[in-house]
PDB file of all heavy atoms in Angstrom:
ATOM      1  N   TYR A   1       0.864  -1.182   0.000  1.00 91.00           N
ATOM      2  CA  TYR A   1       0.000   0.000   0.000  1.00 91.00           C
ATOM      3  C   TYR A   1       0.899   1.231   0.000  1.00 91.00           C
ATOM      4  O   TYR A   1       1.954   1.249   0.649  1.00 91.00           O
ATOM      5  CB  TYR A   1      -0.898  -0.081   1.232  1.00 91.00           C
ATOM      6  CG  TYR A   1      -1.755   1.119   1.518  1.00 91.00           C
ATOM      7  CD1 TYR A   1      -2.519   1.729   0.540  1.00 91.00           C
ATOM      8  CD2 TYR A   1      -1.828   1.620   2.816  1.00 91.00           C
ATOM      9  CE1 TYR A   1      -3.319   2.825   0.836  1.00 91.00           C
ATOM     10  CE2 TYR A   1      -2.620   2.701   3.131  1.00 91.00           C
ATOM     11  CZ  TYR A   1      -3.367   3.307   2.129  1.00 91.00           C
ATOM     12  OH  TYR A   1      -4.142   4.389   2.423  1.00 91.00           O
ATOM     13  N   ALA A   2       0.500   2.265  -0.710  1.00 89.00           N
ATOM     14  CA  ALA A   2       1.362   3.430  -0.909  1.00 89.00           C
ATOM     15  C   ALA A   2       1.852   4.020   0.410  1.00 89.00           C
ATOM     16  O   ALA A   2       3.018   4.424   0.523  1.00 89.00           O
ATOM     17  CB  ALA A   2       0.617   4.478  -1.727  1.00 89.00           C
ATOM     18  N   THR A   3       0.992   4.079   1.427  1.00 88.00           N
ATOM     19  CA  THR A   3       1.404   4.630   2.725  1.00 88.00           C
ATOM     20  C   THR A   3       2.497   3.779   3.360  1.00 88.00           C
ATOM     21  O   THR A   3       3.435   4.301   3.964  1.00 88.00           O
ATOM     22  CB  THR A   3       0.194   4.724   3.668  1.00 88.00           C
ATOM     23  OG1 THR A   3      -0.763   5.630   3.105  1.00 88.00           O
ATOM     24  CG2 THR A   3       0.604   5.228   5.041  1.00 88.00           C
ATOM     25  N   TYR A   4       2.395   2.460   3.227  1.00 90.00           N
ATOM     26  CA  TYR A   4       3.421   1.575   3.774  1.00 90.00           C
ATOM     27  C   TYR A   4       4.751   1.780   3.065  1.00 90.00           C
ATOM     28  O   TYR A   4       5.819   1.754   3.686  1.00 90.00           O
ATOM     29  CB  TYR A   4       3.002   0.109   3.653  1.00 90.00           C
ATOM     30  CG  TYR A   4       1.696  -0.244   4.324  1.00 90.00           C
ATOM     31  CD1 TYR A   4       0.964  -1.352   3.914  1.00 90.00           C
ATOM     32  CD2 TYR A   4       1.185   0.516   5.375  1.00 90.00           C
ATOM     33  CE1 TYR A   4      -0.227  -1.702   4.519  1.00 90.00           C
ATOM     34  CE2 TYR A   4      -0.007   0.178   5.991  1.00 90.00           C
ATOM     35  CZ  TYR A   4      -0.717  -0.929   5.555  1.00 90.00           C
ATOM     36  OH  TYR A   4      -1.900  -1.267   6.161  1.00 90.00           O
ATOM     37  N   ILE A   5       4.688   1.972   1.766  1.00 93.00           N
ATOM     38  CA  ILE A   5       5.911   2.196   0.986  1.00 93.00           C
ATOM     39  C   ILE A   5       6.638   3.435   1.489  1.00 93.00           C
ATOM     40  O   ILE A   5       7.867   3.447   1.656  1.00 93.00           O
ATOM     41  CB  ILE A   5       5.581   2.328  -0.508  1.00 93.00           C
ATOM     42  CG1 ILE A   5       5.016   1.021  -1.075  1.00 93.00           C
ATOM     43  CG2 ILE A   5       6.806   2.786  -1.293  1.00 93.00           C
ATOM     44  CD1 ILE A   5       5.992  -0.126  -1.110  1.00 93.00           C
ATOM     45  N   LYS A   6       5.875   4.496   1.795  1.00 91.00           N
ATOM     46  CA  LYS A   6       6.486   5.728   2.286  1.00 91.00           C
ATOM     47  C   LYS A   6       7.210   5.513   3.608  1.00 91.00           C
ATOM     48  O   LYS A   6       8.248   6.117   3.867  1.00 91.00           O
ATOM     49  CB  LYS A   6       5.428   6.820   2.448  1.00 91.00           C
ATOM     50  CG  LYS A   6       4.865   7.359   1.145  1.00 91.00           C
ATOM     51  CD  LYS A   6       3.809   8.430   1.427  1.00 91.00           C
ATOM     52  CE  LYS A   6       3.188   8.948   0.130  1.00 91.00           C
ATOM     53  NZ  LYS A   6       2.122   9.958   0.409  1.00 91.00           N
ATOM     54  N   LEU A   7       6.661   4.633   4.454  1.00 90.00           N
ATOM     55  CA  LEU A   7       7.232   4.425   5.780  1.00 90.00           C
ATOM     56  C   LEU A   7       8.586   3.713   5.749  1.00 90.00           C
ATOM     57  O   LEU A   7       9.355   3.800   6.709  1.00 90.00           O
ATOM     58  CB  LEU A   7       6.254   3.638   6.659  1.00 90.00           C
ATOM     59  CG  LEU A   7       4.973   4.382   7.062  1.00 90.00           C
ATOM     60  CD1 LEU A   7       3.990   3.428   7.741  1.00 90.00           C
ATOM     61  CD2 LEU A   7       5.285   5.551   7.979  1.00 90.00           C
ATOM     62  N   VAL A   8       8.866   3.013   4.656  1.00 93.00           N
ATOM     63  CA  VAL A   8      10.150   2.298   4.553  1.00 93.00           C
ATOM     64  C   VAL A   8      10.942   2.762   3.332  1.00 93.00           C
ATOM     65  O   VAL A   8      11.806   2.040   2.837  1.00 93.00           O
ATOM     66  CB  VAL A   8       9.917   0.765   4.500  1.00 93.00           C
ATOM     67  CG1 VAL A   8       9.299   0.265   5.795  1.00 93.00           C
ATOM     68  CG2 VAL A   8       9.046   0.383   3.311  1.00 93.00           C
ATOM     69  N   GLN A   9      10.677   3.967   2.890  1.00 92.00           N
ATOM     70  CA  GLN A   9      11.267   4.471   1.643  1.00 92.00           C
ATOM     71  C   GLN A   9      12.789   4.400   1.651  1.00 92.00           C
ATOM     72  O   GLN A   9      13.424   4.077   0.639  1.00 92.00           O
ATOM     73  CB  GLN A   9      10.813   5.917   1.398  1.00 92.00           C
ATOM     74  CG  GLN A   9      11.162   6.467   0.014  1.00 92.00           C
ATOM     75  CD  GLN A   9      10.406   5.766  -1.095  1.00 92.00           C
ATOM     76  OE1 GLN A   9       9.187   5.685  -1.072  1.00 92.00           O
ATOM     77  NE2 GLN A   9      11.131   5.238  -2.074  1.00 92.00           N
ATOM     78  N   GLU A  10      13.402   4.658   2.806  1.00 92.00           N
ATOM     79  CA  GLU A  10      14.864   4.701   2.860  1.00 92.00           C
ATOM     80  C   GLU A  10      15.488   3.322   2.665  1.00 92.00           C
ATOM     81  O   GLU A  10      16.714   3.214   2.464  1.00 92.00           O
ATOM     82  CB  GLU A  10      15.326   5.289   4.199  1.00 92.00           C
ATOM     83  CG  GLU A  10      15.138   4.406   5.417  1.00 92.00           C
ATOM     84  CD  GLU A  10      13.737   4.461   5.996  1.00 92.00           C
ATOM     85  OE1 GLU A  10      12.855   5.095   5.367  1.00 92.00           O
ATOM     86  OE2 GLU A  10      13.517   3.868   7.074  1.00 92.00           O
ATOM     87  N   LEU A  11      14.681   2.263   2.685  1.00 94.00           N
ATOM     88  CA  LEU A  11      15.203   0.909   2.512  1.00 94.00           C
ATOM     89  C   LEU A  11      15.013   0.374   1.096  1.00 94.00           C
ATOM     90  O   LEU A  11      15.357  -0.785   0.828  1.00 94.00           O
ATOM     91  CB  LEU A  11      14.511  -0.048   3.500  1.00 94.00           C
ATOM     92  CG  LEU A  11      14.592   0.302   4.989  1.00 94.00           C
ATOM     93  CD1 LEU A  11      13.808  -0.712   5.821  1.00 94.00           C
ATOM     94  CD2 LEU A  11      16.042   0.345   5.443  1.00 94.00           C
ATOM     95  N   LEU A  12      14.496   1.202   0.203  1.00 94.00           N
ATOM     96  CA  LEU A  12      14.055   0.704  -1.098  1.00 94.00           C
ATOM     97  C   LEU A  12      14.959   1.072  -2.261  1.00 94.00           C
ATOM     98  O   LEU A  12      14.602   0.824  -3.420  1.00 94.00           O
ATOM     99  CB  LEU A  12      12.627   1.195  -1.386  1.00 94.00           C
ATOM    100  CG  LEU A  12      11.566   0.826  -0.332  1.00 94.00           C
ATOM    101  CD1 LEU A  12      10.198   1.330  -0.750  1.00 94.00           C
ATOM    102  CD2 LEU A  12      11.536  -0.685  -0.116  1.00 94.00           C
ATOM    103  N   ASP A  13      16.098   1.645  -2.013  1.00 93.00           N
ATOM    104  CA  ASP A  13      16.993   2.009  -3.116  1.00 93.00           C
ATOM    105  C   ASP A  13      17.358   0.775  -3.940  1.00 93.00           C
ATOM    106  O   ASP A  13      17.763  -0.262  -3.400  1.00 93.00           O
ATOM    107  CB  ASP A  13      18.277   2.653  -2.582  1.00 93.00           C
ATOM    108  CG  ASP A  13      18.037   4.054  -2.035  1.00 93.00           C
ATOM    109  OD1 ASP A  13      16.950   4.605  -2.303  1.00 93.00           O
ATOM    110  OD2 ASP A  13      18.918   4.566  -1.331  1.00 93.00           O
ATOM    111  N   GLY A  14      17.205   0.909  -5.242  1.00 92.00           N
ATOM    112  CA  GLY A  14      17.560  -0.176  -6.146  1.00 92.00           C
ATOM    113  C   GLY A  14      16.517  -1.267  -6.268  1.00 92.00           C
ATOM    114  O   GLY A  14      16.729  -2.252  -6.989  1.00 92.00           O
ATOM    115  N   LYS A  15      15.388  -1.117  -5.586  1.00 93.00           N
ATOM    116  CA  LYS A  15      14.331  -2.127  -5.635  1.00 93.00           C
ATOM    117  C   LYS A  15      13.286  -1.769  -6.685  1.00 93.00           C
ATOM    118  O   LYS A  15      13.036  -0.588  -6.958  1.00 93.00           O
ATOM    119  CB  LYS A  15      13.616  -2.258  -4.286  1.00 93.00           C
ATOM    120  CG  LYS A  15      14.521  -2.419  -3.071  1.00 93.00           C
ATOM    121  CD  LYS A  15      15.161  -3.776  -3.036  1.00 93.00           C
ATOM    122  CE  LYS A  15      15.990  -3.937  -1.783  1.00 93.00           C
ATOM    123  NZ  LYS A  15      16.751  -5.220  -1.789  1.00 93.00           N
ATOM    124  N   GLU A  16      12.671  -2.785  -7.251  1.00 95.00           N
ATOM    125  CA  GLU A  16      11.462  -2.564  -8.037  1.00 95.00           C
ATOM    126  C   GLU A  16      10.317  -2.408  -7.039  1.00 95.00           C
ATOM    127  O   GLU A  16      10.118  -3.275  -6.190  1.00 95.00           O
ATOM    128  CB  GLU A  16      11.203  -3.740  -8.968  1.00 95.00           C
ATOM    129  CG  GLU A  16       9.939  -3.578  -9.811  1.00 95.00           C
ATOM    130  CD  GLU A  16       9.648  -4.794 -10.680  1.00 95.00           C
ATOM    131  OE1 GLU A  16      10.510  -5.683 -10.796  1.00 95.00           O
ATOM    132  OE2 GLU A  16       8.524  -4.850 -11.230  1.00 95.00           O
ATOM    133  N   VAL A  17       9.608  -1.312  -7.122  1.00 95.00           N
ATOM    134  CA  VAL A  17       8.557  -1.017  -6.150  1.00 95.00           C
ATOM    135  C   VAL A  17       7.204  -1.017  -6.852  1.00 95.00           C
ATOM    136  O   VAL A  17       7.022  -0.355  -7.875  1.00 95.00           O
ATOM    137  CB  VAL A  17       8.800   0.339  -5.461  1.00 95.00           C
ATOM    138  CG1 VAL A  17       7.662   0.659  -4.486  1.00 95.00           C
ATOM    139  CG2 VAL A  17      10.138   0.330  -4.714  1.00 95.00           C
ATOM    140  N   VAL A  18       6.253  -1.756  -6.298  1.00 94.00           N
ATOM    141  CA  VAL A  18       4.891  -1.822  -6.824  1.00 94.00           C
ATOM    142  C   VAL A  18       3.955  -1.278  -5.762  1.00 94.00           C
ATOM    143  O   VAL A  18       3.809  -1.868  -4.689  1.00 94.00           O
ATOM    144  CB  VAL A  18       4.497  -3.257  -7.204  1.00 94.00           C
ATOM    145  CG1 VAL A  18       3.056  -3.283  -7.731  1.00 94.00           C
ATOM    146  CG2 VAL A  18       5.458  -3.834  -8.230  1.00 94.00           C
ATOM    147  N   ARG A  19       3.341  -0.128  -6.055  1.00 90.00           N
ATOM    148  CA  ARG A  19       2.406   0.498  -5.113  1.00 90.00           C
ATOM    149  C   ARG A  19       0.977   0.124  -5.489  1.00 90.00           C
ATOM    150  O   ARG A  19       0.598   0.180  -6.660  1.00 90.00           O
ATOM    151  CB  ARG A  19       2.567   2.024  -5.133  1.00 90.00           C
ATOM    152  CG  ARG A  19       3.916   2.509  -4.640  1.00 90.00           C
ATOM    153  CD  ARG A  19       4.059   4.005  -4.877  1.00 90.00           C
ATOM    154  NE  ARG A  19       5.302   4.527  -4.299  1.00 90.00           N
ATOM    155  CZ  ARG A  19       6.491   4.462  -4.891  1.00 90.00           C
ATOM    156  NH1 ARG A  19       6.586   3.897  -6.093  1.00 90.00           N
ATOM    157  NH2 ARG A  19       7.566   4.949  -4.309  1.00 90.00           N
ATOM    158  N   LYS A  20       0.184  -0.206  -4.479  1.00 84.00           N
ATOM    159  CA  LYS A  20      -1.219  -0.547  -4.717  1.00 84.00           C
ATOM    160  C   LYS A  20      -2.092   0.280  -3.777  1.00 84.00           C
ATOM    161  O   LYS A  20      -1.656   0.719  -2.712  1.00 84.00           O
ATOM    162  CB  LYS A  20      -1.461  -2.031  -4.451  1.00 84.00           C
ATOM    163  CG  LYS A  20      -0.760  -2.971  -5.429  1.00 84.00           C
ATOM    164  CD  LYS A  20      -1.425  -2.977  -6.792  1.00 84.00           C
ATOM    165  CE  LYS A  20      -0.779  -4.001  -7.712  1.00 84.00           C
ATOM    166  NZ  LYS A  20      -1.475  -4.075  -9.017  1.00 84.00           N
ATOM    167  N   GLY A  21      -3.352   0.467  -4.161  1.00 77.00           N
ATOM    168  CA  GLY A  21      -4.270   1.277  -3.373  1.00 77.00           C
ATOM    169  C   GLY A  21      -4.879   0.514  -2.211  1.00 77.00           C
ATOM    170  O   GLY A  21      -4.690  -0.697  -2.045  1.00 77.00           O
ATOM    171  N   MET A  22      -5.678   1.231  -1.413  1.00 72.00           N
ATOM    172  CA  MET A  22      -6.271   0.687  -0.199  1.00 72.00           C
ATOM    173  C   MET A  22      -7.171  -0.514  -0.468  1.00 72.00           C
ATOM    174  O   MET A  22      -7.208  -1.465   0.301  1.00 72.00           O
ATOM    175  CB  MET A  22      -7.058   1.780   0.525  1.00 72.00           C
ATOM    176  CG  MET A  22      -7.809   1.310   1.755  1.00 72.00           C
ATOM    177  SD  MET A  22      -6.748   0.660   3.061  1.00 72.00           S
ATOM    178  CE  MET A  22      -6.184   2.178   3.802  1.00 72.00           C
ATOM    179  N   THR A  23      -7.916  -0.506  -1.552  1.00 76.00           N
ATOM    180  CA  THR A  23      -8.869  -1.588  -1.821  1.00 76.00           C
ATOM    181  C   THR A  23      -8.310  -2.647  -2.763  1.00 76.00           C
ATOM    182  O   THR A  23      -9.061  -3.466  -3.278  1.00 76.00           O
ATOM    183  CB  THR A  23     -10.166  -1.011  -2.416  1.00 76.00           C
ATOM    184  OG1 THR A  23      -9.852  -0.336  -3.645  1.00 76.00           O
ATOM    185  CG2 THR A  23     -10.821  -0.057  -1.450  1.00 76.00           C
ATOM    186  N   GLU A  24      -7.019  -2.651  -2.977  1.00 86.00           N
ATOM    187  CA  GLU A  24      -6.416  -3.571  -3.946  1.00 86.00           C
ATOM    188  C   GLU A  24      -5.606  -4.664  -3.250  1.00 86.00           C
ATOM    189  O   GLU A  24      -4.538  -5.061  -3.724  1.00 86.00           O
ATOM    190  CB  GLU A  24      -5.528  -2.788  -4.914  1.00 86.00           C
ATOM    191  CG  GLU A  24      -6.295  -1.758  -5.735  1.00 86.00           C
ATOM    192  CD  GLU A  24      -5.391  -0.922  -6.640  1.00 86.00           C
ATOM    193  OE1 GLU A  24      -4.367  -0.408  -6.147  1.00 86.00           O
ATOM    194  OE2 GLU A  24      -5.724  -0.796  -7.835  1.00 86.00           O
ATOM    195  N   GLU A  25      -6.124  -5.167  -2.143  1.00 88.00           N
ATOM    196  CA  GLU A  25      -5.394  -6.172  -1.377  1.00 88.00           C
ATOM    197  C   GLU A  25      -5.157  -7.450  -2.189  1.00 88.00           C
ATOM    198  O   GLU A  25      -4.051  -7.988  -2.202  1.00 88.00           O
ATOM    199  CB  GLU A  25      -6.150  -6.508  -0.082  1.00 88.00           C
ATOM    200  CG  GLU A  25      -6.123  -5.419   0.976  1.00 88.00           C
ATOM    201  CD  GLU A  25      -7.199  -4.361   0.752  1.00 88.00           C
ATOM    202  OE1 GLU A  25      -7.997  -4.521  -0.194  1.00 88.00           O
ATOM    203  OE2 GLU A  25      -7.237  -3.406   1.535  1.00 88.00           O
ATOM    204  N   ILE A  26      -6.190  -7.940  -2.842  1.00 92.00           N
ATOM    205  CA  ILE A  26      -6.039  -9.174  -3.613  1.00 92.00           C
ATOM    206  C   ILE A  26      -5.087  -8.951  -4.782  1.00 92.00           C
ATOM    207  O   ILE A  26      -4.297  -9.844  -5.131  1.00 92.00           O
ATOM    208  CB  ILE A  26      -7.399  -9.691  -4.104  1.00 92.00           C
ATOM    209  CG1 ILE A  26      -8.323  -9.953  -2.899  1.00 92.00           C
ATOM    210  CG2 ILE A  26      -7.237 -10.958  -4.926  1.00 92.00           C
ATOM    211  CD1 ILE A  26      -7.779 -10.948  -1.903  1.00 92.00           C
ATOM    212  N   ASP A  27      -5.129  -7.761  -5.372  1.00 92.00           N
ATOM    213  CA  ASP A  27      -4.192  -7.452  -6.464  1.00 92.00           C
ATOM    214  C   ASP A  27      -2.750  -7.553  -5.977  1.00 92.00           C
ATOM    215  O   ASP A  27      -1.864  -8.000  -6.711  1.00 92.00           O
ATOM    216  CB  ASP A  27      -4.457  -6.046  -7.013  1.00 92.00           C
ATOM    217  CG  ASP A  27      -5.762  -5.944  -7.778  1.00 92.00           C
ATOM    218  OD1 ASP A  27      -6.282  -7.000  -8.165  1.00 92.00           O
ATOM    219  OD2 ASP A  27      -6.254  -4.827  -7.979  1.00 92.00           O
ATOM    220  N   ARG A  28      -2.499  -7.112  -4.739  1.00 93.00           N
ATOM    221  CA  ARG A  28      -1.150  -7.215  -4.196  1.00 93.00           C
ATOM    222  C   ARG A  28      -0.720  -8.670  -4.077  1.00 93.00           C
ATOM    223  O   ARG A  28       0.422  -9.031  -4.391  1.00 93.00           O
ATOM    224  CB  ARG A  28      -1.087  -6.555  -2.812  1.00 93.00           C
ATOM    225  CG  ARG A  28      -1.130  -5.050  -2.831  1.00 93.00           C
ATOM    226  CD  ARG A  28      -1.055  -4.507  -1.405  1.00 93.00           C
ATOM    227  NE  ARG A  28      -2.249  -3.734  -1.080  1.00 93.00           N
ATOM    228  CZ  ARG A  28      -2.576  -3.318   0.128  1.00 93.00           C
ATOM    229  NH1 ARG A  28      -1.799  -3.625   1.150  1.00 93.00           N
ATOM    230  NH2 ARG A  28      -3.666  -2.626   0.336  1.00 93.00           N
ATOM    231  N   CYS A  29      -1.630  -9.519  -3.625  1.00 94.00           N
ATOM    232  CA  CYS A  29      -1.315 -10.946  -3.478  1.00 94.00           C
ATOM    233  C   CYS A  29      -1.031 -11.580  -4.835  1.00 94.00           C
ATOM    234  O   CYS A  29      -0.059 -12.342  -4.979  1.00 94.00           O
ATOM    235  CB  CYS A  29      -2.474 -11.674  -2.808  1.00 94.00           C
ATOM    236  SG  CYS A  29      -2.966 -11.013  -1.214  1.00 94.00           S
ATOM    237  N   VAL A  30      -1.871 -11.292  -5.808  1.00 95.00           N
ATOM    238  CA  VAL A  30      -1.682 -11.854  -7.152  1.00 95.00           C
ATOM    239  C   VAL A  30      -0.368 -11.370  -7.746  1.00 95.00           C
ATOM    240  O   VAL A  30       0.390 -12.147  -8.353  1.00 95.00           O
ATOM    241  CB  VAL A  30      -2.876 -11.480  -8.062  1.00 95.00           C
ATOM    242  CG1 VAL A  30      -2.602 -11.894  -9.498  1.00 95.00           C
ATOM    243  CG2 VAL A  30      -4.157 -12.131  -7.542  1.00 95.00           C
ATOM    244  N   GLU A  31      -0.080 -10.079  -7.571  1.00 94.00           N
ATOM    245  CA  GLU A  31       1.171  -9.519  -8.091  1.00 94.00           C
ATOM    246  C   GLU A  31       2.378 -10.207  -7.458  1.00 94.00           C
ATOM    247  O   GLU A  31       3.366 -10.534  -8.140  1.00 94.00           O
ATOM    248  CB  GLU A  31       1.218  -8.024  -7.802  1.00 94.00           C
ATOM    249  CG  GLU A  31       2.477  -7.316  -8.276  1.00 94.00           C
ATOM    250  CD  GLU A  31       2.506  -7.107  -9.782  1.00 94.00           C
ATOM    251  OE1 GLU A  31       1.429  -7.108 -10.407  1.00 94.00           O
ATOM    252  OE2 GLU A  31       3.621  -6.958 -10.319  1.00 94.00           O
ATOM    253  N   ALA A  32       2.321 -10.448  -6.145  1.00 95.00           N
ATOM    254  CA  ALA A  32       3.431 -11.122  -5.471  1.00 95.00           C
ATOM    255  C   ALA A  32       3.643 -12.520  -6.031  1.00 95.00           C
ATOM    256  O   ALA A  32       4.793 -12.945  -6.266  1.00 95.00           O
ATOM    257  CB  ALA A  32       3.159 -11.185  -3.971  1.00 95.00           C
ATOM    258  N   TYR A  33       2.562 -13.239  -6.268  1.00 94.00           N
ATOM    259  CA  TYR A  33       2.676 -14.596  -6.802  1.00 94.00           C
ATOM    260  C   TYR A  33       3.240 -14.582  -8.217  1.00 94.00           C
ATOM    261  O   TYR A  33       4.141 -15.378  -8.556  1.00 94.00           O
ATOM    262  CB  TYR A  33       1.305 -15.265  -6.770  1.00 94.00           C
ATOM    263  CG  TYR A  33       1.305 -16.712  -7.203  1.00 94.00           C
ATOM    264  CD1 TYR A  33       2.276 -17.607  -6.735  1.00 94.00           C
ATOM    265  CD2 TYR A  33       0.328 -17.198  -8.062  1.00 94.00           C
ATOM    266  CE1 TYR A  33       2.267 -18.935  -7.125  1.00 94.00           C
ATOM    267  CE2 TYR A  33       0.310 -18.533  -8.460  1.00 94.00           C
ATOM    268  CZ  TYR A  33       1.290 -19.394  -7.989  1.00 94.00           C
ATOM    269  OH  TYR A  33       1.282 -20.706  -8.388  1.00 94.00           O
ATOM    270  N   GLU A  34       2.743 -13.677  -9.042  1.00 94.00           N
ATOM    271  CA  GLU A  34       3.222 -13.611 -10.424  1.00 94.00           C
ATOM    272  C   GLU A  34       4.697 -13.247 -10.491  1.00 94.00           C
ATOM    273  O   GLU A  34       5.456 -13.791 -11.307  1.00 94.00           O
ATOM    274  CB  GLU A  34       2.376 -12.605 -11.211  1.00 94.00           C
ATOM    275  CG  GLU A  34       0.940 -13.081 -11.440  1.00 94.00           C
ATOM    276  CD  GLU A  34       0.097 -12.051 -12.169  1.00 94.00           C
ATOM    277  OE1 GLU A  34       0.543 -10.882 -12.280  1.00 94.00           O
ATOM    278  OE2 GLU A  34      -1.015 -12.403 -12.624  1.00 94.00           O
ATOM    279  N   GLN A  35       5.135 -12.336  -9.628  1.00 94.00           N
ATOM    280  CA  GLN A  35       6.551 -11.953  -9.596  1.00 94.00           C
ATOM    281  C   GLN A  35       7.409 -13.133  -9.109  1.00 94.00           C
ATOM    282  O   GLN A  35       8.509 -13.379  -9.621  1.00 94.00           O
ATOM    283  CB  GLN A  35       6.755 -10.752  -8.677  1.00 94.00           C
ATOM    284  CG  GLN A  35       6.080  -9.463  -9.147  1.00 94.00           C
ATOM    285  CD  GLN A  35       6.935  -8.688 -10.146  1.00 94.00           C
ATOM    286  OE1 GLN A  35       7.983  -9.142 -10.585  1.00 94.00           O
ATOM    287  NE2 GLN A  35       6.462  -7.509 -10.522  1.00 94.00           N
ATOM    288  N   ALA A  36       6.896 -13.876  -8.131  1.00 95.00           N
ATOM    289  CA  ALA A  36       7.646 -15.025  -7.625  1.00 95.00           C
ATOM    290  C   ALA A  36       7.748 -16.118  -8.679  1.00 95.00           C
ATOM    291  O   ALA A  36       8.763 -16.826  -8.758  1.00 95.00           O
ATOM    292  CB  ALA A  36       6.985 -15.559  -6.359  1.00 95.00           C
ATOM    293  N   LEU A  37       6.704 -16.277  -9.490  1.00 93.00           N
ATOM    294  CA  LEU A  37       6.748 -17.265 -10.571  1.00 93.00           C
ATOM    295  C   LEU A  37       7.851 -16.947 -11.575  1.00 93.00           C
ATOM    296  O   LEU A  37       8.335 -17.842 -12.279  1.00 93.00           O
ATOM    297  CB  LEU A  37       5.393 -17.325 -11.280  1.00 93.00           C
ATOM    298  CG  LEU A  37       4.250 -18.043 -10.533  1.00 93.00           C
ATOM    299  CD1 LEU A  37       2.939 -17.872 -11.278  1.00 93.00           C
ATOM    300  CD2 LEU A  37       4.577 -19.528 -10.343  1.00 93.00           C
ATOM    301  N   GLN A  38       8.253 -15.674 -11.640  1.00 93.00           N
ATOM    302  CA  GLN A  38       9.347 -15.264 -12.534  1.00 93.00           C
ATOM    303  C   GLN A  38      10.720 -15.471 -11.899  1.00 93.00           C
ATOM    304  O   GLN A  38      11.743 -15.079 -12.457  1.00 93.00           O
ATOM    305  CB  GLN A  38       9.170 -13.797 -12.930  1.00 93.00           C
ATOM    306  CG  GLN A  38       7.890 -13.502 -13.698  1.00 93.00           C
ATOM    307  CD  GLN A  38       7.675 -12.011 -13.927  1.00 93.00           C
ATOM    308  OE1 GLN A  38       8.642 -11.257 -14.116  1.00 93.00           O
ATOM    309  NE2 GLN A  38       6.417 -11.587 -13.924  1.00 93.00           N
ATOM    310  N   GLY A  39      10.726 -16.062 -10.708  1.00 93.00           N
ATOM    311  CA  GLY A  39      11.977 -16.341 -10.042  1.00 93.00           C
ATOM    312  C   GLY A  39      12.470 -15.230  -9.148  1.00 93.00           C
ATOM    313  O   GLY A  39      13.595 -15.293  -8.638  1.00 93.00           O
ATOM    314  N   LYS A  40      11.660 -14.227  -8.876  1.00 95.00           N
ATOM    315  CA  LYS A  40      12.077 -13.088  -8.067  1.00 95.00           C
ATOM    316  C   LYS A  40      11.772 -13.323  -6.581  1.00 95.00           C
ATOM    317  O   LYS A  40      10.869 -14.079  -6.236  1.00 95.00           O
ATOM    318  CB  LYS A  40      11.376 -11.811  -8.533  1.00 95.00           C
ATOM    319  CG  LYS A  40      11.705 -11.419  -9.970  1.00 95.00           C
ATOM    320  CD  LYS A  40      10.927 -10.177 -10.377  1.00 95.00           C
ATOM    321  CE  LYS A  40      11.217  -9.801 -11.825  1.00 95.00           C
ATOM    322  NZ  LYS A  40      10.458  -8.603 -12.258  1.00 95.00           N
TER     323      LYS A  40
END
């Protein structure tokens, strides 16, 4: 969630960051699975 990303921003240098909205919880889960399927 975008607010969570802001809270740890200083730890994210060099990372691919995917921000999702408040009502997109399932989208976050699906995105995590799809990224993991790519070996990440």
